[in-house]
Structures are given as structure tokens and as C-alpha cells.
Amino acid sequence: MIDLSALRPRFPTLAKKVYLSSGSYGLLSTDVEKAYHAYLADRIAHGADWGDWLGRYEEIRKSVACLINSTADEVALPSSVSAGINAIASALSFSEGRDKVVLSNFEFPTSAQIWHAQAPRGARIEHVSEGQDGYIPVEHFAELIDDRTKIVSISHVCYRNGAKLEVEKIVEIAKRQGALVILDCYQSIGTEVVDVKKLGVDFAVGGMMKYLLGSAGLGFLYVREGLLTDLLPTASGWYAQTDFGAMDIFANTPSPTARRFEAGTPAFPVLYAVEAGLNIIHEVGASAIGSYLQDLTGRCIDRLSGAGWHVVTPRSDRRRGPMVAIRSKDADQLVAKLAERDIVTSCRDGNVRAGFHFYNNDVDVDRLIAALELNSELRA
């Protein structure tokens, strides 16, 4: 197994800070920093190098496919998760007895908002609510998914509390009813194995700026091969065409691959950063990262609970991702207090979020808990 401690120097911020905000933005590595400099050097040297840029674009597509166990033809690279979900939504009709969209209450706002935006097109939105313990059990999905359900939207890991849904069981329910499933794995991809074939989802979306250690400006969209010829997005662009070099203004000729869900010119500087970030994840290995983080976050939760802090993230290994969410009387103030001690966190929904990655360790946990104890008056 790779020595994770040996990788910490590649993240210079760690020399001064405890960085626990990877669920907001992954930590900058020297690899990504060099990649940005390489883009600038190439711009100065060549002015424009479309061949190289498009080559990087396709290498990223292959890299993502390898990471999620799909083919490259099943991967689109939209500018964001929002763009990817919008492209999928534009390809669906909400009629002929299939008008229901089932959303979990763990969804990130952009996902829920996009599906609610389909209401004028005939979509009928229903939400799957939490149980008394704050978790959404599989049974709640079974109660809402029926033969009128067009698509089920689920977040692998909830951005508010770090809870992880039991995706395979939910997919099984949806398939029995003939419904599609779209998985938002933004808060899990890069921290554990996300195998879209094993999970059985029809679509999956994620982005490069968090646990994949790249940058904002590029996302990914997986579309199951069997759906590629059936779904025609009305949100489109020149990169979605079979031959985007044809410059045809008289027709829309969508690619037979997942590229049909793309749109315009990608942000070329971001490609350099994304490629460097993905290379780190492949170097370490998603399986190794997952095992390490499961142990580290488990120890963190146990210590926090022992110290009297209310951890809203489930303790069960199969029900949590890389984030540990801590309830507070004033989460904004507590995040600020932690920042004064060079501990970077974030907050959502009254919870302080500690987003761990492989570059974190038990010393970081020690410092987090010590700083929390100094602000025990903010304990919920």
C-alpha cells in the first residue's frame, strides 16, 4: 500500500493548516499548481494548441471511465454537474403515464432545482423524506417509486450531513418499476470505489473540484450505453455533434456517444488541472483511499461522541462517506473559531462539516477535537 504520509508534502497548505474542507473544494497540490503553469507556458509558446487541448480532453474522458468502470463512450464532460443534469432533463419527456420524478431529501440544491424546473413540462415532483433518526431508509423510497415514476434522483453522500444512501437497494426498487436512476456522486467520487456498473445506475454525475483534486469548470456525466441512442437532449452545442469540426449550421447531428450531452468549448486551462488531479487519485487508488478514510472518519466520530459532541453523520460504515458533520448551536461562528486556529472546515444546515481526504491523518483529528473543546459553549 502506498505511504499516504509521504504524499502530504505535495499539498503545501498542510504545512500551516488542518484542511478539512475537501467537500467544498479539494486541496491544491503541487501537481495541479504545476499543471496550471504548464498551460500558461503552452499558451506563450504556441498561442493556441487545439490538438493538444482536445487530446487532453479525451484523456480525461478515458480517465473518468476508468475511475467509474464504464467505457469512454458512456462519459460526457459537461462544464458542471448542473449542465449535465440539465442535458439529461432536456432529453426526457414527462407524459404517457411516466410523469413522476422522485427526489431524496439529501439532494444538493442544483439537482432538486433542475428537476423542479421541469414541472412546467409536465413533471410531478415527490420528495423522499428522512426518518426520525435523520437518515432516509430504503423503505421510504419503496413507498414513493411506482409505475408512474420516470426517474429517481439520489445523492450518494449527502452534502449536509455526510450520510450515504444504500444505492444498490434503491436502484433495485426503481428497476422493478421501470424507472431510471441518476446518481449524484460529487461527495463520494475520489474517496471510495464508485462502480456504476455494480451500482446499476442509468446516469451518474460528479465534478472535479472537490475530492478529485482538480478545479472548477468541468464535470462528468455517465450515461448507460443502452440509453445513448434513445435519449436526445435539446440542450446541445457544437461539441455535442458527431463531427464538431463540420461547423454545420443547418442541422443538429448529435454524437452517438455520451458526447451528445455536452455543449460548447471546454475551459482549456481547467483540463490541465483536472488531468493532474485525476492522476493523483489513480496513483493512490480509490479502494485504498476508501479503506483509509473509513477507518479515519470512524475514529474521529468515536472521539467526538466520547467528548460529548453531537455527530449527525451515521456511524455505520455503509451509511457514511468521507465527511463528518458536527451539530453546533452556531455553526458559522464555530467554523470561524476553528479558522482562527488554522483549521479549515465549512458548515451547512447547522452542522460543521469536516471533509476528510487521504492527506488527512490522526494528528488533524487531534487538532480538530482540541479546538472544538476550546469552544465547547457552541456544542449543540
Side-chain angles (χ1 to χ4, degrees), residues 64 68 75-78 81 185 189 204-208 212 218-222:
V64 171
I68 64 174
V75 175
L77 297 173
V81 164
C185 57
I189 190 73
V205 290
M208 311 298 186
L212 291 181
L218 194 70
F220 70 84
L221 165 65
Y222 159 77

Side-chain angles (χ1 to χ4, degrees), residues 32-277:
V32 172
E33 181 185 14
K34 291 175 183 176
Y36 273 123
H37 287 302
Y39 166 75
L40 294 174
D42 286 349
R43 285 281 281 134
I44 291 170
H46 305 292
D49 192 347
W50 286 81
D52 177 75
W53 295 339
L54 294 177
R56 290 177 186 271
Y57 196 54
E58 293 309 314
E59 286 304 310
I60 290 170
R61 193 187 310 277
K62 294 175 186 176
S63 183
V64 171
C66 180
L67 188 63
I68 64 174
N69 188 31
S70 76
T71 66
D73 282 349
E74 294 173 300
V75 175
L77 297 173
S79 60
S80 65
V81 164
S82 298
I85 299 174
N86 269 310
I88 292 296
S90 79
L92 299 180
S93 62
F94 302 97
S95 59
E96 300 177 1
R98 291 274 180 186
D99 61 351
K100 184 193 289 190
V101 177
V102 174
L103 303 176
S104 86
N105 274 1
F106 281 176
E107 298 309 286
F108 189 76
T110 196
S111 176
Q113 290 156 1
I114 289 170
W115 292 115
H116 276 284
Q118 308 312 307
R121 299 178 56 224
R124 183 165 50 90
I125 316 301
E126 294 191 11
H127 281 254
V128 186
S129 61
E130 302 90 337
Q132 291 185 346
D133 61 355
Y135 187 76
I136 306 178
V138 172
E139 293 75 19
H140 284 200
F141 284 91
E143 292 169 2
L144 289 185
I145 299 172
D146 57 23
D147 60 5
R148 292 190 63 87
T149 304
K150 183 74 174 186
I151 191 166
V152 180
S153 178
I154 52 177
S155 285
H156 200 184
V157 174
C158 178
Y159 79 103
R160 293 184 285 108
N161 56 30
K164 182 164 68 174
L165 291 174
E166 298 182 77
V167 175
E168 288 178 82
K169 293 181 180 179
I170 298 167
V171 169
E172 183 180 349
I173 295 168
K175 294 307 175 187
R176 284 202 299 265
Q177 298 291 353
L180 300 168
V181 177
I182 182 168
L183 176 70
D184 178 355
C185 57
Y186 215 143
Q187 291 288 347
S188 61
I189 190 73
T191 69
E192 62 176 277
V193 174
V194 177
D195 185 332
V196 294
K197 301 299 184 181
K198 182 179 178 182
L199 293 173
V201 297
D202 299 290
F203 312 101
V205 290
M208 311 298 186
M209 63 178 277
K210 299 183 181 183
Y211 296 104
L212 291 181
L213 306 178
S215 183
L218 194 70
F220 70 84
L221 165 65
Y222 159 77
V223 182
R224 180 170 57 82
E225 183 179 14
L227 297 170
L228 288 173
T229 56
D230 296 333
L231 296 180
L232 181 62
T234 56
S236 191
W238 74 306
Y239 266 58
Q241 304 300 299
T242 297
D243 178 9
F244 56 78
M247 303 295 185
D248 184 1
I249 66 170
F250 298 101
N252 175 45
T253 311
S255 169
T257 73
R259 277 204 302 107
R260 64 172 48 198
F261 293 94
E262 295 175 14
T265 308
F268 292 132
V270 173
L271 301 183
Y272 287 68
V274 166
E275 188 175 37

Side-chain angles (χ1 to χ4, degrees), residues 261-303:
F261 293 94
E262 295 175 14
T265 308
F268 292 132
V270 173
L271 301 183
Y272 287 68
V274 166
E275 188 175 37
L278 284 169
N279 286 344
I280 297 173
I281 299 301
H282 285 298
E283 175 187 350
V284 182
S287 179
I289 295 172
S291 297
Y292 177 77
L293 288 179
Q294 191 172 89
D295 291 342
L296 182 62
T297 55
R299 290 194 298 273
C300 181
I301 290 173
D302 290 342
R303 291 187 59 190

